[in-house]
Amino acid sequence: MKKLLLAFLFLASISAFSQTKVSGLVKDEYGDPVAFANVIFKDSNEGTISNEDGRFYLESSEDFDALWVSFVGYELLTIELSKKTTYDLTIVLKESVDSLDEVVVYSGKTSKKDNPALVILRKIWENRRENGVKKFNQYQYDKYEKLEFDLNTIDSGLIKSKVFKGMEFVWEQIDTSNITGNSYLPIFINEAYSKVYGDNLLNNEKEMLEGNKNSGFENNQTLIAFIKDLYKEYDVYDNYMKFFDKAFTSPLSKTGIDVYNYVLLDSAYRDNKWCYNIVYYPRRKNELTFKGDFWVNDTTWAIKEINLQASKSANLNWVREVYIEQEFDVLNDSIFLITRDYFLSDFSLKKKEGARGIYGKRTTLYDNYEFDIEKDKKFYGEQTDPYAYEIYNRPDEFWDERRMESLSKDEKGVYKMLDTLKTIPRFKSLYNIASTLASGYYEVGNFDIGPVFSVFGFNEAEGMRIRLGGRTYFSQNDPWRIEAFGAYGFRDERFKYGVSGKWLLDRKSRLTIFGGNRKDVEQTGASLTTSNDVLGRSLASSALITVGANDKLSRINLSTAGFSMEPAKNLKFQVTGSYRTLESATDTFSLDYLDEDGVVQSEISQPEIEFAIFYTPKRKTSGYGVERTIINDGDFPSFYLGYTYGLKDVLGGDFEYNKLQALYTQPWNIGGIGRLWSTIEVGKIYDPVPLGLLSPIPGNQTLFSIYNAFTNLDFYEFVTDSYASLHLQHNFGGRIFSRVPLLRDLDLREVVGFRAAYGTISDENIALNAPNTLMLQAPEDIYWEWSVGVGNIFRIFRLDFNFRGNYLDNPDARRFGVTGTFGFSF
């Protein structure tokens, strides 16, 4: 969510020549607001729908002198407009005499029987077809995309604020949104022009960026890529449309009849094609639904135009408004092509009207479709460099020729305004503060101090711990980077340190070499899949508050060196050589074992060589340096396969062994009932090794909910040399609580979890570790636990109630525990 804090959000750009503006409130005779009422300029097809509170805003570039306001069950009302701009109208609808006896009409719910709108909806289902480009063997088209961010709800208090002292000239760009009616100030714009090629026979598509232009700041590719991923591609014909990691029910969904009310409102020609106009709105509050209308062709039953506005009551954080428009060109009875896609969001810390926020909008235009032009198969596999210098420095003539719609006066002004703003010292200071909060590092020249959020820690060995670190940072595309830290424990009075470096030798193959050394105190066994990350550190090693004695800590001195490469996108091969020494960090924990001569040893010295494969299909990254930013974190599967060989008598190595490990993590969006996370891990050590090299089932003695750890297990409660584990966690996203009247308005979300582990430990390993006072027990009868949780408390906190399923007779077994976690999510 640090990226979310960077990624302001979005509002509609407005025509500078708007002639008629009107806003107001629609009520009934009893004073209750009328939700989803139709508000249309008289004798036109330009209109909108009131929100759940009965409020609306409507704007047109033409002159109109009257409104039509209507709703099923009420009389059509005509409102005269005496001025071009009319705000805060109060409109009172009267019930229609013909429908007074139909309670269902008065409540706003439409019938599922004898409804002509549903007859048309079923025709859409029967004739549903894929996007027109899928009807051809090959296709190509031009794509123009425009991203814009705007500061919204500008008032006199903000204009006179000391924050903007010396920057008053920016207010010259203020305008009004034609979607919300709020004032806004454009602060950033990015344009991109691409050529898209696809081959349906090969199931390949390739987008080649040919030009990119932005106002604002250098090195903003991460922000742009992240925002574009938020507005990822969606299909209105799908049952569910996914964005902001949420699955919204489409109004064209086959399940839509149970979620939406539909009303056949009108029929007319749209671009010389006869179409029906259907209005839809939610049946219930607090669900991930839309309101809006669509035009559908009467012969192809393909959508010609559609707009979608997310329900105000939708269980969605930090987003006050979502608005989508799509337009299609229906060529014939089997082909329709998207020509325009417009997506607007209003991000705000508060959902109430009048609160300030950030608009973001994305406008995507498509043109020059061509079909059945075959490309060589190698074309789709060739690597292209999207960060080439010329792409970001195209002349004005390039954009004049390729823009598919002209920039508005406000959009043109952003380029000039930002160029001026960047020269003002006060603005630079504000930008640096925001950058520190987002990245966790404080910039000092070409060196970043941090992470600032890991300065303090606590554990039984070190007591209170202070850590200071930093990294080199010239730009997000640095070909090399060095990181280092120093830490001090006030109980053990010892200094710890770590240093690492990595260097990208080849951009195309991403051939990288790395190495480093760390001397520290660590909670080993906090995860099953071992890591040789020199500067890596788990929360279990330094949690300020723990459950029970968190004393099973080790002193580790780890050195690594290796290289990695990516022969194909998101497929990485890595070879790592490491050398570590391990010994207990407390008097109450022992790593003792018997050597070949039967002598008790307390320290382990072990070199290893690891061969690892990482595969992350559909992962998106930004930048081309030695470190890249993951854009769609948590939105792609992850595979890991590793083989480790332990060396004996090399650099004083104590043991020779072979170890295999594998991990598979997969997120699943399950229609309208939420999101499931699943992880499977398996591993085996083929030769006898001491406790410090075995595979403990990871417990969790902190008060934080840690995915992939077992909340009701203590550290080292189970130790294995062969294991398999399963983790499942499902977030219903408020689907259940939204049906409960007293809980509905709290926007809480239900979370359930299940965790299980199986493992064995050989007699040889038990004998080898005989001097150790720790009981070596493996979960040969599958250990399991489950949890139920309440998420989205104050929009940032989740509380989990954890229950142990078996092994209840183990010493000090924790049958029940409560943990929590903080996080920012939509």
Side-chain angles (χ1 to χ4, degrees):
M1 179 63 190
K2 292 179 182 177
K3 302 170 189 171
L4 303 184
L5 296 177
L6 273 176
F8 327 107
L9 234 35
F10 68 83
L11 167 62
S13 124
I14 177 175
S15 167
F17 305 100
S18 298
Q19 298 297 317
T20 310
K21 300 178 183 180
V22 59
S23 69
L25 172 66
V26 182
K27 300 193 298 185
D28 61 18
E29 296 171 280
Y30 304 96
D32 295 323
V34 178
F36 314 119
N38 303 302
V39 184
I40 303 171
F41 285 122
K42 184 179 177 181
D43 297 322
S44 79
N45 290 317
E46 296 188 54
T48 187
I49 302 172
S50 63
N51 64 20
E52 286 100 325
D53 301 320
R55 297 193 174 276
F56 71 90
Y57 177 84
L58 183 58
E59 178 180 310
S60 174
S61 58
E62 299 181 14
D63 287 322
F64 290 100
D65 56 12
L67 283 178
W68 280 338
V69 184
S70 66
F71 189 63
V72 179
Y74 294 87
E75 296 179 356
L76 175 66
L77 185 64
T78 302
I79 303 294
E80 300 296 332
L81 301 175
S82 58
K83 298 182 295 184
K84 290 184 178 180
T85 301
T86 307
Y87 292 140
D88 299 324
L89 274 177
T90 299
I91 299 171
V92 180
L93 293 180
K94 295 182 179 180
E95 264 189 275
S96 172
V97 176
D98 296 333
S99 61
L100 286 178
D101 59 341
E102 297 187 31
V103 177
V104 68
V105 172
Y106 175 71
S107 66
K109 293 189 181 297
T110 58
S111 173
K112 295 182 182 180
K113 298 180 180 179
D114 304 320
N115 185 342
L118 298 188
V119 175
I120 295 174
L121 190 64
R122 292 187 179 97
K123 289 287 187 181
I124 296 174
W125 299 341
E126 293 171 6
N127 293 271
R128 174 184 169 183
R129 53 183 61 84
E130 294 179 315
N131 189 297
V133 297
K134 299 300 181 182
K135 296 296 180 181
F136 299 89
N137 292 338
Q138 294 86 25
Y139 59 89
Q140 62 188 60
Y141 56 84
D142 298 344
K143 177 181 175 182
Y144 169 77
E145 186 174 70
K146 179 171 58 180
L147 290 172
E148 182 179 326
F149 306 131
D150 312 314
L151 181 65
N152 68 42
T153 316
I154 310 297
D155 56 22
S156 59
L158 183 63
I159 292 175
K160 297 177 181 178
S161 171
K162 293 182 180 179
V163 173
F164 289 93
K165 186 177 181 180
M167 297 181 283
E168 292 82 0
F169 66 91
V170 302
W171 306 123
E172 297 174 5
Q173 304 296 327
I174 293 178
D175 210 326
T176 306
S177 166
N178 64 340
I179 304 298
T180 65
N182 289 334
S183 57
Y184 70 91
L185 173 70
I187 55 177
F188 175 84
I189 186 171
N190 182 85
E191 299 178 87
Y193 175 80
S194 306
K195 289 276 191 179
V196 179
Y197 303 87
D199 192 311
N200 292 316
L201 300 179
L202 301 175
N203 195 28
N204 278 327
E205 185 174 272
K206 184 174 185 177
E207 181 172 338
M208 300 180 66
L209 181 66
E210 295 197 351
N212 192 93
K213 180 180 182 181
N214 66 76
S215 65
F217 319 101
E218 297 176 357
N219 300 323
N220 59 8
Q221 293 98 333
T222 297
L223 175 62
I224 295 167
F226 178 68
I227 293 297
K228 289 176 68 174
D229 186 67
L230 283 180
Y231 309 151
K232 55 174 61 70
E233 294 182 3
Y234 44 83
D235 188 341
V236 293
Y237 286 92
D238 288 341
N239 286 332
Y240 298 96
M241 300 167 60
K242 180 178 175 293
F243 40 83
F244 305 129
D245 288 331
K246 299 291 183 292
F248 285 72
T249 303
S250 170
L252 305 183
S253 166
K254 289 188 176 182
T255 62
I257 193 171
D258 298 316
V259 178
Y260 292 103
N261 297 291
Y262 296 91
V263 179
L264 176 59
L265 183 67
D266 196 5
S267 57
Y269 281 104
R270 310 292 286 184
D271 291 337
N272 298 319
K273 298 186 182 297
W274 189 255
C275 297
Y276 295 109
N277 185 212
I278 293 179
V279 171
Y280 63 90
Y281 51 93
R283 287 184 173 269
R284 292 173 294 272
K285 290 186 176 182
N286 293 84
E287 295 186 350
L288 297 176
T289 51
F290 303 98
K291 65 168 185 172
D293 73 300
F294 55 84
W295 290 88
V296 54
N297 183 248
D298 72 330
T299 54
T300 65
W301 305 107
I303 299 300
K304 186 70 175 68
E305 299 174 15
I306 187 170
N307 71 76
L308 310 96
Q309 188 169 9
S311 301
K312 291 284 188 181
S313 61
N315 193 332
L316 193 63
N317 291 332
W318 323 111
V319 183
R320 188 166 49 185
E321 192 83 56
V322 174
Y323 180 78
I324 300 170
E325 285 181 0
Q326 286 192 338
E327 298 176 9
F328 298 85
D329 186 7
V330 182
L331 299 184
N332 53 48
D333 61 357
S334 65
I335 302 172
F336 68 97
L337 303 171
I338 187 168
T339 56
R340 187 175 188 272
D341 182 13
Y342 176 78
F343 196 124
L344 166 132
S345 308
D346 177 4
F347 282 68
S348 177
L349 295 177
K350 301 177 182 179
K351 281 194 173 183
K352 68 179 183 180
E353 297 292 333
R356 297 190 187 105
I358 298 286
Y359 289 142
K361 73 177 182 183
R362 184 193 68 180
T363 304
T364 309
L365 303 175
Y366 307 83
D367 200 3
N368 297 328
Y369 283 95
E370 294 184 79
F371 303 103
D372 295 333
I373 301 176
E374 189 173 0
K375 294 279 187 181
D376 190 279
K377 293 182 180 180
K378 295 180 180 179
F379 170 78
Y380 294 98
E382 292 174 351
Q383 295 276 5
T384 58
D385 186 0
Y387 301 101
Y389 175 83
E390 60 272 13
I391 290 177
Y392 292 86
N393 293 274
R394 298 293 189 186
D396 292 340
E397 293 77 17
F398 175 92
W399 295 104
D400 292 339
E401 294 175 2
R402 289 166 178 79
R403 279 193 189 105
M404 298 181 194
E405 69 176 19
S406 300
L407 296 181
S408 68
K409 178 182 177 182
D410 300 321
E411 291 167 341
K412 293 177 181 177
V414 176
Y415 283 106
K416 181 178 180 181
M417 182 189 74
L418 265 294
D419 287 340
T420 304
L421 200 58
K422 287 187 297 183
T423 64
I424 298 176
R426 184 175 182 82
F427 178 78
K428 292 180 180 179
S429 299
L430 293 173
Y431 177 77
N432 289 337
I433 293 172
S435 176
T436 300
L437 293 174
S439 67
Y441 287 87
Y442 178 74
E443 300 178 18
V444 180
N446 293 323
F447 189 79
D448 289 354
I449 299 174
V452 296
F453 305 110
S454 62
V455 174
F456 296 101
F458 180 87
N459 59 62
E460 293 289 339
E462 298 176 281
M464 182 59 68
R465 166 191 172 100
I466 294 179
R467 179 187 187 279
L468 294 175
R471 65 184 183 184
T472 59
Y473 195 97
F474 297 87
S475 77
Q476 70 171 16
N477 297 318
D478 288 347
W480 60 271
R481 182 153 294 158
I482 296 175
E483 297 183 66
F485 78 87
Y488 183 79
F490 289 92
R491 178 175 295 173
D492 64 359
E493 298 181 340
R494 294 193 183 194
F495 178 76
K496 295 89 181 175
Y497 68 87
V499 60
S500 74
K502 56 188 72 173
W503 185 14
L504 179 66
L505 299 177
D506 180 66
R507 260 173 61 177
K508 187 174 182 179
S509 65
R510 293 205 58 80
L511 175 61
T512 304
I513 59 173
F514 56 86
N517 174 253
R518 172 166 62 101
K519 187 176 183 180
D520 205 353
V521 169
E522 184 177 343
Q523 177 63 65
T524 57
S527 64
L528 281 169
T529 305
T530 56
S531 170
N532 285 318
D533 181 6
V534 171
L535 298 188
R537 184 176 177 83
S538 69
L539 177 64
S541 301
S542 55
L544 291 174
I545 303 176
T546 59
V547 177
N550 181 16
D551 59 347
K552 298 179 179 64
L553 297 155
S554 301
R555 299 197 187 280
I556 182 171
N557 192 335
L558 171 66
S559 299
T560 65
F563 68 91
S564 65
M565 64 181 301
E566 292 187 24
K569 185 177 181 180
N570 291 326
L571 176 64
K572 182 171 77 170
F573 294 93
Q574 182 170 296
V575 178
T576 306
S578 66
Y579 178 82
R580 77 187 69 206
T581 61
L582 287 168
E583 62 178 337
S584 174
T586 66
D587 296 332
T588 53
F589 175 61
S590 171
L591 292 175
D592 289 353
Y593 66 93
L594 295 173
D595 65 14
E596 294 175 334
D597 300 322
V599 178
V600 175
Q601 300 291 340
S602 300
E603 182 175 329
I604 303 168
S605 298
Q606 191 61 56
E608 292 178 342
I609 298 178
E610 181 194 31
F611 303 88
I613 302 173
F614 301 87
Y615 181 48
T616 51
K618 298 184 179 181
R619 183 186 65 164
K620 299 178 182 178
T621 60
S622 173
Y624 55 81
V626 69
E627 291 183 350
R628 294 178 296 176
T629 302
I630 297 176
I631 301 303
N632 58 335
D633 195 13
D635 199 30
F636 54 86
S638 178
F639 301 87
Y640 162 80
L641 178 64
Y643 166 72
T644 302
Y645 177 60
L647 301 170
K648 185 178 180 180
D649 298 329
V650 175
L651 300 176
D654 293 320
F655 294 90
E656 180 180 7
Y657 54 90
N658 298 270
K659 178 168 63 175
L660 280 175
Q661 291 183 303
L663 176 146
Y664 166 50
T665 295
Q666 175 76 58
W668 310 87
N669 285 301
I670 307 178
I673 61 172
R675 184 176 175 87
L676 172 70
W677 277 90
S678 63
T679 299
I680 298 173
E681 292 183 85
V682 294
K684 182 175 180 61
I685 302 172
Y686 288 89
D687 305 280
V689 292
L691 176 62
L693 300 177
L694 286 171
S695 299
I697 302 299
N700 179 12
Q701 292 182 227
T702 75
L703 297 181
F704 290 92
S705 301
I706 302 176
Y707 185 75
N708 267 17
F710 290 82
T711 305
N712 290 71
L713 280 184
D714 289 340
F715 297 120
Y716 289 95
E717 187 170 342
F718 290 122
V719 180
T720 72
D721 52 31
S722 300
Y723 65 84
S725 74
L726 171 69
H727 290 261
L728 300 173
Q729 181 175 287
H730 185 80
N731 190 325
F732 287 92
R735 182 78 175 184
I736 300 173
F737 289 152
S738 66
R739 306 294 180 92
V740 182
L742 295 179
L743 297 176
R744 179 180 297 147
D745 296 334
L746 298 178
D747 285 342
L748 300 176
R749 298 172 184 173
E750 322 81 355
V751 182
V752 296
F754 178 80
R755 302 172 286 277
Y758 167 79
T760 61
I761 185 168
S762 66
D763 293 337
E764 291 85 354
N765 271 318
I766 293 176
L768 178 66
N769 289 279
N772 201 302
T773 57
L774 186 69
M775 180 180 68
L776 299 185
Q777 180 186 19
E780 296 187 14
D781 295 327
I782 297 175
Y783 170 80
W784 60 278
E785 59 186 46
W786 59 282
S787 62
V788 293
V790 179
N792 211 40
I793 301 172
F794 305 119
R795 296 193 286 177
I796 59 171
F797 185 66
R798 190 183 86 219
L799 198 62
D800 292 316
F801 302 92
N802 306 280
F803 302 86
R804 186 171 180 137
N806 57 353
Y807 286 95
L808 302 177
D809 296 329
N810 276 8
D812 300 319
R814 289 184 284 128
R815 296 169 177 257
F816 172 76
V818 179
T819 56
T821 183
F822 291 91
F824 293 86
S825 66
F826 288 116

